Amino acid sequence: EVVVNRIAAGEIIQRPANALKELIENSLDAGSTNITVSVKEGGLKLLQIQDNGSGINKEDMDIVCERFTTSKLQSFDDLQKLTTFGFRGEALASISHVAQLTITTKTAKEKCAYKAGYIDGVIKGPPVPCAGNQGTTITVENLFYNIATRRKALSDSKEEYSRIQEVVSRYAIHYPKTGFTLKKHGENRATVRTPNSSTKKENIKIIFGNDVARDLMEINVEERSYRFKAEIIITSPNYAMKRFTFLLFINNRLVESTAIKKAFESVYVTHLAKNSHPWCYLSLQIDPQNIDVNIHPTKHEVKFLHEGIIIGKISTVLNEEYAKSNK
Ligand code: ADP
Ligand code: MG
């Protein structure tokens, strides 16, 4: 049973950056306004995320790492409305099967924090009282210690760190009301640091610099009939980049879509000089009922109903706006 679970977990948690993505989303779901990530050896030795969210009830601590334990679904109706893809009560359980996991947490109603370790989905012992502020710290150590092949495949900690940095940066832009900090454990200097109650544009400037931020266009597209809303922030055609950077959130989850990327590429090539590209952020809200929920959560590629039509409509508007501001 444990081995089967480990293999399944190793498929869900493929590298430090996607474990982190799940942990960031949990912190955001808990209402955090500050999230700090610290990392050792590209997250393979240590991946720690500290938030100031609601915390986890002491009574729930023994079950949070059991598979399918979630406080986020109350009914089948909720399942239909769920705006995230995949992962329902599987993230912490999966991580506990492929790493040493420790949770320290404090809710508003407790006088102190509680700490517990987990292995293979099971709590190691009763939660121990300790000092701590309200919120949750999740510590993931020695990721893939029990999957030698996976650990070997991920030996380049620099590469893993840059993927982590990418995930933190992107969430920081999408959630400007929450402050994000990323640092290497033991170092004072942060790699990423955004204030809370910032704005998307301000965070783009902080993270990507003035080259990207000096002339951004904001484009909104909304269609009632196909039930979608798109927010685009893109560099104007007057300031092209050396490569295409594309940040895509669908229903507030960082995802990838080759179809959308291709559509955007075919729009901008007609306006920009050869080897010139935009920097682009797209946040797409679609009716959760139109998302293909049968796609396994490990698939970063999303599919949804009316995909072609929706992408077409967004591309048309982008094309018009891009043409207008091309000087
Ligand atoms: P899911 O997010 O789908 O519910 P997870 O395995 O990611 O499943 O988390 C399990 C549960 O643990 C959550 O439903 C939530 O109740 C609790 N939890 C996890 N992380 C946090 C956090 N940072 N703050 C508060 N509660 C958390
Ligand atoms: Mg989760």
Side-chain angles (χ1 to χ4, degrees), residues 176-259:
K177 298 297 164 217
T178 298
F180 284 83
T181 303
L182 167 66
K183 54 187 181 183
K184 290 186 177 153
H185 191 82
E187 282 183 15
N188 280 328
R189 197 180 58 87
T191 314
V192 176
R193 192 192 294 278
T194 57
N196 55 23
S197 60
S198 183
T199 62
K200 287 180 184 175
K201 277 174 129 181
E202 189 54 37
N203 284 354
I204 290 169
K205 188 170 167 179
I206 291 169
I207 293 165
F208 286 91
N210 210 35
D211 263 6
V212 168
R214 65 183 152 185
D215 190 10
L216 291 170
M217 300 166 55
E218 286 173 86
I219 303 165
N220 292 290
V221 190
E222 188 174 349
E223 270 252 4
R224 292 260 168 79
S225 47
Y226 289 97
R227 294 158 165 274
F228 77 89
K229 243 188 201 176
E231 178 194 1
I232 300 169
I233 303 177
I234 189 166
T235 46
S236 92
N238 309 307
Y239 293 104
M241 306 287 127
K242 287 203 181 73
R243 60 189 174 89
F244 187 26
T245 305
F246 190 47
L247 285 62
L248 175 63
F249 283 81
I250 299 186
N251 292 8
N252 302 313
R253 189 168 165 93
L254 181 64
V255 292
E256 274 165 40
S257 160
T258 309

Coordinates of all heavy atoms in Angstrom, one line a residue, residues 176-259:
P176 N -1.6 40.5 -5.9 CA -0.8 41.7 -5.3 C -1.2 42.1 -3.9 O -0.4 42.9 -3.3 CB -1.1 42.8 -6.4 CG -2.4 42.4 -7.0 CD -2.4 40.9 -7.0
K177 N -2.3 41.6 -3.4 CA -2.7 42.0 -2.1 C -2.0 41.2 -1.0 O -2.0 41.5 0.2 CB -4.2 41.9 -1.9 CG -5.0 42.8 -2.8 CD -4.8 44.3 -2.5 CE -5.3 45.1 -3.6 NZ -4.4 46.3 -3.9
T178 N -1.3 40.1 -1.5 CA -0.5 39.3 -0.6 C 1.0 39.6 -0.8 O 1.4 39.7 -2.0 CB -0.8 37.8 -0.8 OG1 -2.2 37.6 -0.5 CG2 0.0 36.9 0.1
G179 N 1.7 39.8 0.3 CA 3.1 40.0 0.1 C 3.9 38.7 0.0 O 3.6 37.8 0.8
F180 N 4.8 38.6 -0.9 CA 5.5 37.3 -1.1 C 7.0 37.6 -0.9 O 7.6 38.6 -1.3 CB 5.4 36.8 -2.5 CG 4.0 36.1 -2.8 CD1 2.9 36.9 -3.1 CD2 3.9 34.7 -2.7 CE1 1.7 36.3 -3.3 CE2 2.7 34.1 -2.9 CZ 1.6 34.9 -3.2
T181 N 7.7 36.7 -0.2 CA 9.1 36.7 -0.1 C 9.7 35.4 -0.4 O 9.2 34.3 0.0 CB 9.5 37.1 1.4 OG1 8.9 38.3 1.7 CG2 11.0 37.2 1.5
L182 N 10.8 35.3 -1.2 CA 11.5 34.1 -1.5 C 12.9 34.3 -1.1 O 13.6 35.3 -1.5 CB 11.4 33.7 -2.9 CG 12.3 32.6 -3.4 CD1 12.0 31.2 -2.7 CD2 12.3 32.4 -4.9
K183 N 13.5 33.4 -0.3 CA 14.9 33.5 -0.1 C 15.6 32.1 0.1 O 14.9 31.2 0.4 CB 15.2 34.4 1.1 CG 14.5 34.1 2.4 CD 14.7 35.1 3.4 CE 14.0 34.8 4.7 NZ 14.2 35.8 5.7
K184 N 16.9 32.1 -0.1 CA 17.6 30.9 0.2 C 17.8 30.9 1.7 O 18.1 31.9 2.3 CB 19.0 31.0 -0.5 CG 18.8 30.8 -2.0 CD 20.1 30.7 -2.8 CE 19.9 30.5 -4.2 NZ 20.9 31.0 -5.1
H185 N 17.6 29.7 2.3 CA 17.6 29.6 3.7 C 19.0 30.1 4.3 O 20.0 29.7 3.7 CB 17.4 28.1 4.1 CG 17.2 27.9 5.6 ND1 16.0 28.1 6.2 CD2 18.1 27.6 6.5 CE1 16.1 27.8 7.4 NE2 17.4 27.5 7.7
G186 N 18.9 30.9 5.3 CA 20.1 31.4 5.9 C 20.6 32.7 5.3 O 21.5 33.3 5.9
E187 N 20.1 33.1 4.2 CA 20.5 34.3 3.6 C 19.5 35.4 3.9 O 18.3 35.2 4.0 CB 20.6 34.2 2.0 CG 21.9 33.5 1.6 CD 22.0 33.4 0.1 OE1 21.3 34.1 -0.6 OE2 22.8 32.6 -0.4
N188 N 20.0 36.6 4.1 CA 19.1 37.7 4.4 C 18.5 38.3 3.2 O 17.3 38.7 3.2 CB 19.9 38.8 5.2 CG 20.0 38.5 6.6 OD1 19.2 37.8 7.2 ND2 21.2 38.9 7.2
R189 N 19.3 38.4 2.1 CA 18.8 39.0 0.9 C 17.7 38.1 0.3 O 17.9 36.9 0.1 CB 20.0 39.2 -0.1 CG 19.7 40.1 -1.2 CD 21.0 40.2 -2.1 NE 21.3 38.9 -2.6 CZ 20.8 38.4 -3.7 NH1 20.0 39.1 -4.5 NH2 21.2 37.2 -4.2
A190 N 16.6 38.7 -0.1 CA 15.5 38.0 -0.7 C 15.7 38.0 -2.2 O 16.2 38.9 -2.8 CB 14.2 38.6 -0.3
T191 N 15.3 36.9 -2.9 CA 15.4 36.8 -4.3 C 14.1 37.5 -4.9 O 14.2 38.1 -5.9 CB 15.4 35.3 -4.8 OG1 16.3 34.6 -4.0 CG2 15.7 35.2 -6.2
V192 N 13.0 37.3 -4.2 CA 11.8 38.0 -4.6 C 11.2 38.6 -3.3 O 11.2 37.9 -2.3 CB 10.7 36.9 -5.1 CG1 9.4 37.6 -5.5 CG2 11.2 36.2 -6.4
R193 N 10.8 39.8 -3.4 CA 10.1 40.4 -2.3 C 9.1 41.5 -2.8 O 9.4 42.4 -3.5 CB 11.1 41.1 -1.3 CG 10.4 41.5 0.0 CD 11.2 42.4 0.8 NE 12.5 41.8 1.3 CZ 12.6 41.0 2.4 NH1 11.5 40.7 3.1 NH2 13.7 40.5 2.8
T194 N 7.8 41.2 -2.5 CA 6.8 42.1 -2.9 C 6.0 42.6 -1.6 O 5.9 41.7 -0.7 CB 5.8 41.5 -3.9 OG1 5.2 40.4 -3.4 CG2 6.4 41.2 -5.2
P195 N 5.6 43.8 -1.6 CA 4.8 44.2 -0.4 C 3.4 43.7 -0.5 O 2.9 43.4 -1.6 CB 4.8 45.8 -0.6 CG 5.0 46.0 -2.0 CD 5.7 44.9 -2.6
N196 N 2.7 43.7 0.7 CA 1.3 43.4 0.5 C 0.5 44.7 0.2 O 1.1 45.7 0.2 CB 0.7 42.7 1.8 CG 0.9 43.4 3.1 OD1 1.1 44.7 3.0 ND2 0.9 42.8 4.2
S197 N -0.7 44.5 -0.2 CA -1.5 45.6 -0.8 C -0.8 46.4 -1.8 O -0.7 47.6 -1.8 CB -2.1 46.5 0.3 OG -1.1 47.1 1.1
S198 N -0.2 45.7 -2.8 CA 0.5 46.3 -4.0 C -0.5 46.2 -5.1 O -1.7 45.9 -4.9 CB 1.8 45.5 -4.2 OG 2.5 46.1 -5.3
T199 N 0.0 46.4 -6.3 CA -0.8 46.2 -7.5 C -0.1 45.3 -8.5 O 1.1 45.1 -8.4 CB -1.1 47.6 -8.3 OG1 0.2 48.0 -8.7 CG2 -1.7 48.6 -7.4
K200 N -0.8 44.8 -9.5 CA -0.2 43.9 -10.4 C 1.0 44.6 -11.2 O 2.1 44.1 -11.3 CB -1.2 43.3 -11.4 CG -2.1 42.3 -10.8 CD -3.1 41.8 -11.8 CE -4.1 40.8 -11.1 NZ -5.2 40.3 -11.9
K201 N 0.7 45.8 -11.6 CA 1.7 46.5 -12.4 C 2.9 46.9 -11.5 O 4.0 46.8 -12.0 CB 1.1 47.8 -13.0 CG 0.3 47.6 -14.3 CD -0.4 48.9 -14.7 CE -0.1 49.2 -16.1 NZ -0.7 50.5 -16.5
E202 N 2.7 47.2 -10.3 CA 3.8 47.6 -9.4 C 4.6 46.3 -9.2 O 5.9 46.4 -9.3 CB 3.2 48.1 -8.1 CG 4.2 48.7 -7.1 CD 5.1 49.7 -7.7 OE1 4.6 50.6 -8.5 OE2 6.3 49.8 -7.4
N203 N 4.0 45.2 -9.0 CA 4.7 43.9 -8.8 C 5.5 43.5 -10.1 O 6.6 42.9 -10.0 CB 3.8 42.8 -8.3 CG 3.5 43.1 -6.8 OD1 4.1 44.0 -6.1 ND2 2.7 42.2 -6.2
I204 N 4.9 43.8 -11.2 CA 5.6 43.4 -12.5 C 6.9 44.2 -12.5 O 7.9 43.7 -12.9 CB 4.7 43.8 -13.7 CG1 3.5 42.8 -13.7 CG2 5.5 43.7 -15.0 CD1 2.4 43.2 -14.7
K205 N 6.8 45.5 -12.1 CA 8.0 46.4 -12.1 C 9.0 45.9 -11.1 O 10.2 45.8 -11.4 CB 7.5 47.8 -11.8 CG 8.6 48.8 -11.9 CD 8.1 50.2 -11.8 CE 9.1 51.2 -11.6 NZ 8.5 52.6 -11.5
I206 N 8.6 45.5 -9.9 CA 9.5 45.0 -8.9 C 10.2 43.8 -9.4 O 11.4 43.6 -9.2 CB 8.7 44.7 -7.6 CG1 8.3 46.0 -6.9 CG2 9.6 44.0 -6.6 CD1 7.3 45.9 -5.8
I207 N 9.5 42.9 -10.0 CA 10.0 41.6 -10.3 C 10.7 41.5 -11.7 O 11.8 41.0 -11.8 CB 8.9 40.5 -10.3 CG1 8.5 40.3 -8.8 CG2 9.4 39.1 -10.8 CD1 7.2 39.6 -8.6
F208 N 10.1 42.1 -12.7 CA 10.6 42.0 -14.1 C 11.4 43.3 -14.5 O 12.0 43.3 -15.5 CB 9.6 41.7 -15.1 CG 9.1 40.2 -15.0 CD1 8.1 39.9 -14.2 CD2 9.8 39.3 -15.7 CE1 7.7 38.5 -14.1 CE2 9.4 37.9 -15.6 CZ 8.3 37.6 -14.8
G209 N 11.3 44.3 -13.7 CA 12.1 45.5 -14.0 C 11.4 46.5 -14.9 O 10.3 46.2 -15.5
N210 N 12.0 47.6 -15.1 CA 11.4 48.7 -15.8 C 11.3 48.4 -17.3 O 10.5 49.0 -18.0 CB 12.1 50.0 -15.5 CG 11.2 51.2 -15.7 OD1 10.0 51.1 -15.3 ND2 11.7 52.3 -16.2
D211 N 12.2 47.6 -17.8 CA 12.2 47.2 -19.2 C 10.8 46.7 -19.6 O 10.3 47.0 -20.7 CB 13.2 46.2 -19.5 CG 14.5 46.8 -20.1 OD1 14.6 48.0 -20.1 OD2 15.4 46.0 -20.4
V212 N 10.3 45.8 -18.7 CA 9.0 45.3 -19.0 C 7.9 46.2 -18.6 O 6.9 46.4 -19.3 CB 8.8 43.9 -18.2 CG1 7.4 43.5 -18.2 CG2 9.7 42.8 -18.8
A213 N 8.1 47.0 -17.5 CA 7.0 47.7 -16.9 C 6.8 49.1 -17.5 O 5.8 49.8 -17.2 CB 7.2 47.8 -15.4
R214 N 7.7 49.6 -18.3 CA 7.6 51.0 -18.7 C 6.4 51.4 -19.6 O 6.0 52.5 -19.6 CB 8.9 51.5 -19.4 CG 9.2 50.8 -20.7 CD 10.5 51.3 -21.2 NE 11.1 50.2 -22.1 CZ 12.3 50.3 -22.6 NH1 13.1 51.4 -22.4 NH2 12.8 49.3 -23.3
D215 N 5.9 50.4 -20.4 CA 4.8 50.8 -21.3 C 3.9 49.6 -21.4 O 3.9 48.8 -22.4 CB 5.4 51.2 -22.6 CG 4.3 51.8 -23.5 OD1 3.2 52.0 -23.0 OD2 4.5 52.0 -24.7
L216 N 3.1 49.3 -20.4 CA 2.2 48.2 -20.4 C 0.8 48.5 -20.9 O 0.3 49.6 -20.5 CB 2.2 47.5 -19.0 CG 3.4 46.9 -18.5 CD1 3.3 46.6 -17.0 CD2 3.8 45.6 -19.3
M217 N 0.2 47.7 -21.7 CA -1.1 47.9 -22.1 C -2.0 46.9 -21.2 O -1.6 45.8 -21.0 CB -1.3 47.5 -23.5 CG -0.4 48.3 -24.5 SD -0.4 47.5 -26.1 CE -2.1 47.4 -26.5
E218 N -3.2 47.4 -20.9 CA -4.2 46.6 -20.2 C -5.4 46.4 -21.1 O -6.0 47.4 -21.5 CB -4.6 47.2 -18.9 CG -3.5 47.2 -17.8 CD -3.8 48.0 -16.6 OE1 -4.5 47.4 -15.7 OE2 -3.4 49.1 -16.5
I219 N -5.7 45.1 -21.3 CA -6.8 44.8 -22.2 C -7.8 43.9 -21.4 O -7.4 42.9 -20.9 CB -6.3 44.1 -23.4 CG1 -5.3 45.0 -24.1 CG2 -7.5 43.8 -24.4 CD1 -4.4 44.3 -25.2
N220 N -9.1 44.3 -21.4 CA -10.1 43.4 -20.8 C -11.1 42.9 -21.8 O -11.5 43.7 -22.7 CB -10.8 44.1 -19.7 CG -9.8 44.4 -18.5 OD1 -9.4 43.5 -17.8 ND2 -9.4 45.6 -18.4
V221 N -11.4 41.7 -21.8 CA -12.3 41.1 -22.7 C -13.3 40.3 -21.9 O -13.0 39.6 -21.0 CB -11.7 40.1 -23.7 CG1 -12.7 39.7 -24.8 CG2 -10.4 40.7 -24.3
E222 N -14.6 40.5 -22.2 CA -15.6 39.8 -21.4 C -16.8 39.4 -22.4 O -17.2 40.2 -23.2 CB -16.2 40.7 -20.3 CG -17.1 40.0 -19.4 CD -17.6 40.8 -18.2 OE1 -17.0 41.9 -18.0 OE2 -18.5 40.4 -17.5
E223 N -17.2 38.2 -22.2 CA -18.3 37.7 -23.1 C -19.3 36.9 -22.2 O -19.0 35.9 -21.6 CB -17.8 36.8 -24.1 CG -17.4 37.5 -25.4 CD -18.3 37.3 -26.5 OE1 -19.4 36.6 -26.4 OE2 -18.0 37.8 -27.6
R224 N -20.5 37.4 -22.1 CA -21.5 36.8 -21.3 C -21.9 35.4 -21.9 O -22.0 34.4 -21.2 CB -22.8 37.6 -21.2 CG -22.6 38.9 -20.4 CD -23.2 38.8 -19.0 NE -22.7 39.9 -18.2 CZ -23.3 41.1 -18.2 NH1 -24.3 41.3 -19.0 NH2 -22.8 42.0 -17.4
S225 N -22.0 35.4 -23.2 CA -22.5 34.2 -23.9 C -21.6 33.0 -23.7 O -22.1 31.9 -23.5 CB -22.8 34.4 -25.4 OG -21.7 35.1 -25.9
Y226 N -20.3 33.2 -23.7 CA -19.4 32.1 -23.5 C -18.9 32.1 -22.0 O -18.0 31.3 -21.7 CB -18.3 32.1 -24.5 CG -18.8 31.7 -25.9 CD1 -19.2 32.6 -26.8 CD2 -19.1 30.3 -26.2 CE1 -19.7 32.3 -28.0 CE2 -19.6 30.0 -27.4 CZ -19.9 31.0 -28.3 OH -20.4 30.6 -29.5
R227 N -19.4 32.9 -21.2 CA -19.1 33.0 -19.8 C -17.6 33.0 -19.5 O -17.0 32.1 -18.9 CB -19.7 31.7 -19.1 CG -21.2 31.7 -19.1 CD -21.6 30.2 -18.9 NE -23.0 30.1 -18.5 CZ -23.5 30.2 -17.3 NH1 -22.7 30.4 -16.3 NH2 -24.7 30.0 -17.0
F228 N -16.9 34.0 -20.0 CA -15.5 34.2 -19.7 C -15.2 35.6 -19.5 O -15.9 36.5 -20.0 CB -14.6 33.5 -20.7 CG -14.4 34.3 -22.0 CD1 -13.4 35.2 -22.1 CD2 -15.3 34.1 -23.1 CE1 -13.3 36.0 -23.3 CE2 -15.1 34.8 -24.2 CZ -14.1 35.8 -24.3
K229 N -14.1 35.8 -18.9 CA -13.5 37.2 -18.6 C -12.0 37.1 -18.8 O -11.4 36.2 -18.2 CB -13.8 37.6 -17.2 CG -14.7 38.7 -17.0 CD -14.7 39.0 -15.5 CE -15.9 39.8 -15.1 NZ -16.0 40.1 -13.6
A230 N -11.4 38.0 -19.5 CA -10.0 37.9 -19.7 C -9.3 39.2 -19.3 O -9.9 40.3 -19.7 CB -9.6 37.5 -21.1
E231 N -8.3 39.2 -18.6 CA -7.5 40.4 -18.3 C -6.1 40.2 -18.8 O -5.4 39.2 -18.4 CB -7.5 40.6 -16.7 CG -6.6 41.8 -16.4 CD -6.3 41.9 -14.9 OE1 -6.7 41.0 -14.1 OE2 -5.6 42.8 -14.5
I232 N -5.7 41.1 -19.7 CA -4.4 41.0 -20.3 C -3.5 42.2 -19.9 O -4.0 43.3 -19.9 CB -4.5 40.9 -21.8 CG1 -5.3 39.7 -22.3 CG2 -3.1 40.9 -22.5 CD1 -5.6 39.8 -23.8
I233 N -2.3 41.9 -19.5 CA -1.3 43.0 -19.3 C -0.2 42.6 -20.2 O 0.4 41.6 -20.0 CB -0.9 43.1 -17.8 CG1 -2.1 43.4 -16.9 CG2 0.1 44.3 -17.7 CD1 -1.8 43.5 -15.4
I234 N 0.1 43.5 -21.2 CA 1.1 43.1 -22.2 C 2.0 44.3 -22.5 O 1.5 45.5 -22.5 CB 0.4 42.5 -23.4 CG1 1.4 41.9 -24.4 CG2 -0.5 43.6 -24.1 CD1 0.8 41.1 -25.5
T235 N 3.3 44.1 -22.8 CA 4.1 45.2 -23.2 C 3.6 45.7 -24.6 O 3.2 45.0 -25.4 CB 5.6 44.7 -23.4 OG1 5.5 43.4 -24.2 CG2 6.3 44.4 -22.1
S236 N 3.7 47.0 -24.7 CA 3.2 47.6 -26.0 C 4.2 47.2 -27.1 O 5.3 46.9 -26.9 CB 3.2 49.1 -25.9 OG 4.4 49.7 -26.3
P237 N 3.7 47.2 -28.3 CA 4.5 46.8 -29.5 C 5.8 47.7 -29.7 O 6.7 47.3 -30.4 CB 3.6 46.9 -30.7 CG 2.4 47.6 -30.2 CD 2.3 47.5 -28.7
N238 N 5.8 48.8 -29.0 CA 7.0 49.7 -29.1 C 8.2 49.3 -28.3 O 9.3 49.8 -28.5 CB 6.5 51.1 -28.7 CG 5.3 51.5 -29.5 OD1 5.2 51.5 -30.7 ND2 4.3 51.9 -28.8
Y239 N 7.9 48.4 -27.4 CA 9.0 47.9 -26.5 C 9.1 46.4 -26.6 O 8.5 45.7 -25.7 CB 8.9 48.4 -25.1 CG 9.1 49.9 -24.9 CD1 8.0 50.7 -24.7 CD2 10.3 50.4 -25.0 CE1 8.1 52.0 -24.6 CE2 10.5 51.8 -24.9 CZ 9.4 52.6 -24.7 OH 9.5 53.9 -24.5
A240 N 9.7 45.8 -27.5 CA 9.7 44.4 -27.7 C 10.8 43.7 -26.8 O 11.8 44.3 -26.5 CB 9.8 44.0 -29.1
M241 N 10.5 42.5 -26.5 CA 11.5 41.7 -25.7 C 12.2 40.7 -26.5 O 11.8 40.4 -27.6 CB 10.7 40.9 -24.6 CG 9.8 41.8 -23.7 SD 10.8 42.8 -22.6 CE 10.1 44.4 -22.9
K242 N 13.3 40.2 -26.0 CA 14.1 39.2 -26.7 C 13.4 37.8 -26.8 O 13.7 37.0 -27.7 CB 15.5 39.0 -26.1 CG 16.4 40.2 -26.4 CD 17.9 39.8 -26.3 CE 18.8 41.0 -26.5 NZ 18.8 41.9 -25.4
R243 N 12.6 37.6 -25.8 CA 11.8 36.3 -25.9 C 10.4 36.5 -25.3 O 10.2 37.4 -24.6 CB 12.6 35.2 -25.2 CG 12.8 35.5 -23.7 CD 13.8 34.4 -23.1 NE 14.1 34.8 -21.7 CZ 13.3 34.4 -20.7 NH1 12.3 33.6 -20.8 NH2 13.7 34.8 -19.4
F244 N 9.6 35.5 -25.6 CA 8.2 35.6 -25.2 C 8.1 35.1 -23.8 O 8.4 33.9 -23.5 CB 7.4 34.7 -26.1 CG 5.9 34.8 -25.9 CD1 5.3 35.9 -25.4 CD2 5.1 33.7 -26.3 CE1 3.9 36.0 -25.2 CE2 3.7 33.8 -26.2 CZ 3.1 34.9 -25.6
T245 N 7.7 35.9 -22.9 CA 7.4 35.5 -21.5 C 5.9 35.5 -21.3 O 5.2 36.5 -21.7 CB 8.0 36.5 -20.5 OG1 9.4 36.6 -20.8 CG2 7.8 36.0 -19.1
F246 N 5.3 34.4 -20.9 CA 3.9 34.3 -20.9 C 3.4 33.8 -19.5 O 3.8 32.7 -19.1 CB 3.4 33.4 -22.0 CG 1.9 33.4 -22.2 CD1 1.2 34.5 -22.2 CD2 1.2 32.1 -22.3 CE1 -0.2 34.5 -22.4 CE2 -0.1 32.1 -22.5 CZ -0.9 33.3 -22.6
L247 N 2.7 34.6 -18.8 CA 2.2 34.2 -17.5 C 0.7 33.9 -17.6 O -0.1 34.8 -18.0 CB 2.3 35.3 -16.4 CG 3.7 35.6 -15.8 CD1 4.7 36.0 -16.8 CD2 3.6 36.6 -14.7
L248 N 0.3 32.7 -17.4 CA -1.1 32.4 -17.6 C -1.8 31.8 -16.3 O -1.3 30.8 -15.7 CB -1.2 31.3 -18.7 CG -2.6 30.8 -19.0 CD1 -3.6 31.8 -19.5 CD2 -2.6 29.6 -20.0
F249 N -2.9 32.5 -15.9 CA -3.7 32.0 -14.8 C -5.1 31.7 -15.4 O -5.7 32.5 -16.1 CB -3.8 33.0 -13.7 CG -2.6 33.1 -12.9 CD1 -1.4 33.8 -13.3 CD2 -2.5 32.4 -11.6 CE1 -0.3 33.8 -12.5 CE2 -1.4 32.4 -10.8 CZ -0.3 33.1 -11.3
I250 N -5.6 30.5 -15.1 CA -7.0 30.2 -15.5 C -7.7 29.9 -14.1 O -7.2 29.1 -13.4 CB -7.1 29.1 -16.5 CG1 -6.4 29.4 -17.8 CG2 -8.6 28.8 -16.7 CD1 -6.6 28.5 -18.9
N251 N -8.7 30.7 -13.9 CA -9.4 30.6 -12.6 C -8.5 30.6 -11.4 O -8.6 29.8 -10.5 CB -10.4 29.4 -12.6 CG -11.5 29.5 -13.6 OD1 -11.5 30.4 -14.3 ND2 -12.4 28.6 -13.5
N252 N -7.6 31.5 -11.5 CA -6.6 31.8 -10.4 C -5.6 30.7 -10.2 O -4.9 30.7 -9.2 CB -7.3 32.1 -9.1 CG -8.3 33.3 -9.3 OD1 -7.9 34.3 -9.8 ND2 -9.5 33.1 -8.8
R253 N -5.5 29.8 -11.1 CA -4.4 28.8 -11.0 C -3.4 28.9 -12.1 O -3.8 29.1 -13.3 CB -5.1 27.4 -11.0 CG -4.1 26.3 -10.6 CD -4.8 25.0 -10.3 NE -3.8 23.9 -10.3 CZ -3.2 23.4 -9.2 NH1 -3.5 24.0 -8.1 NH2 -2.4 22.4 -9.3
L254 N -2.1 28.9 -11.7 CA -1.0 29.0 -12.7 C -1.0 27.7 -13.5 O -0.9 26.7 -13.0 CB 0.3 29.2 -12.0 CG 1.6 29.3 -12.8 CD1 1.6 30.6 -13.6 CD2 2.8 29.3 -11.8
V255 N -1.3 27.9 -14.8 CA -1.3 26.8 -15.7 C -0.6 27.0 -17.0 O -0.1 28.1 -17.3 CB -2.8 26.4 -16.1 CG1 -3.5 25.9 -14.9 CG2 -3.5 27.6 -16.7
E256 N -0.6 26.0 -17.9 CA 0.0 26.2 -19.2 C -1.1 25.8 -20.3 O -1.9 24.9 -20.0 CB 1.2 25.3 -19.4 CG 2.4 26.0 -18.9 CD 3.6 25.1 -18.7 OE1 3.8 24.2 -19.5 OE2 4.3 25.2 -17.6
S257 N -1.0 26.5 -21.4 CA -1.9 26.1 -22.5 C -1.2 26.4 -23.8 O -1.0 27.6 -24.1 CB -3.2 26.9 -22.4 OG -3.9 26.9 -23.7
T258 N -0.8 25.4 -24.5 CA -0.1 25.5 -25.7 C -1.0 26.2 -26.7 O -0.6 27.1 -27.5 CB 0.3 24.2 -26.3 OG1 1.0 23.5 -25.3 CG2 1.2 24.3 -27.5
A259 N -2.3 25.9 -26.7 CA -3.3 26.5 -27.6 C -3.3 28.0 -27.5 O -3.3 28.8 -28.4 CB -4.7 25.9 -27.4

